[in-house]
Amino acid sequence: MTDTPHHDVTGRGPVLLLHPGGSGHPMGLGPLTERLAQRFTVVTYDPLGLAHGRLGQPVPEQRPADWSEGARRVLEAVLPEGESAYVFGTSSGGIAVLDLLARYPGRLAHVVAHEPPCVTVLPDGQARRTELIEQLDGPGRPPAEGASATPFGVFLARVLRPFSAYAPAFTPPPARLTIAYGTDSRGQLLHRTAEVLAERLASACVAFPGGHLGTTDHPVEFADVLAETLRSSARTSA
């Protein structure tokens, strides 16, 4: 399919779609992917193509639905007939995979959303969202376009605001969603968000190694907990 969004495939086994956070650039996820590829066919989705030569080109404001639609198209291209996929997303990628599950649950075996920053689900969510944006997007923002563009600049300019406004409002299929948070995030904003979100969506809430950047700070341990979470979900649904 020539219009399939940018992605990379490695490993063997059940399909696991990996959705990076931030601007969707998979930088730093090599060790995590390598570990997971021992057990899964890992499909790393790059929604804006930033790791495939598009960094520096103009990017319109993004929506979770943009990324979940792209993820659906990637799965259509890589999933064998009659099979379903595991899906993992972290941070903004966690929001995208929640939207994917809401819109296209049919071929998803299990979804793990790690610290999705949809803080408006909290009772004081609008105030917390304002604080989050102010903490991240201050003076000296890196550029989102041109030769000096950075993935973080793209995230701040085109992703942070629309994604942090996302509030899931759907009923996931039973036992098909896990909300994850980092052990180092306990007591912090995104831990509280994860707990409220898991309660709202009647899903499991599981601790993963590290904090918000556990995928890069503790890749081997993180991959092993993710693999066990997906194995447990398979046993539960069997």
Side-chain angles (χ1 to χ4, degrees), residues 25-153:
H25 193 301
M27 58 184 179
L29 294 183
L32 176 78
T33 301
E34 182 179 352
R35 183 72 169 185
L36 290 169
Q38 298 175 13
R39 308 174 187 180
F40 301 95
T41 297
V42 182
V43 181
T44 304
Y45 173 38
D46 179 8
L48 299 179
L50 300 184
H52 293 80
R54 293 191 54 81
L55 181 60
Q57 298 183 23
V59 175
E61 184 170 86
Q62 298 296 294
R63 302 173 304 153
D66 298 326
W67 288 13
S68 64
E69 169 60 20
R72 179 193 66 80
R73 288 160 55 200
V74 169
L75 288 177
E76 282 187 352
V78 302
L79 262 181
E81 185 69 28
E83 292 190 14
S84 56
Y86 295 117
V87 177
F88 169 80
T90 183
S91 192
S92 56
I95 289 177
V97 301
L98 287 173
D99 195 67
L100 179 67
L101 181 61
R103 294 173 183 271
Y104 309 112
R107 299 190 71 186
L108 307 183
H110 197 82
V111 172
V112 178
H114 176 252
E115 297 204 358
C118 38
V119 296
T120 59
V121 301
L122 299 172
D124 56 348
Q126 292 299 336
R128 301 289 78 77
R129 177 173 177 259
T130 298
E131 289 179 359
L132 179 66
I133 292 172
E134 289 176 347
Q135 289 170 3
L136 292 174
D137 192 14
R141 174 203 289 176
E145 297 180 13
S148 300
T150 69
F152 190 57

Side-chain angles (χ1 to χ4, degrees), residues 2 65 225:
T2 58
V225 173

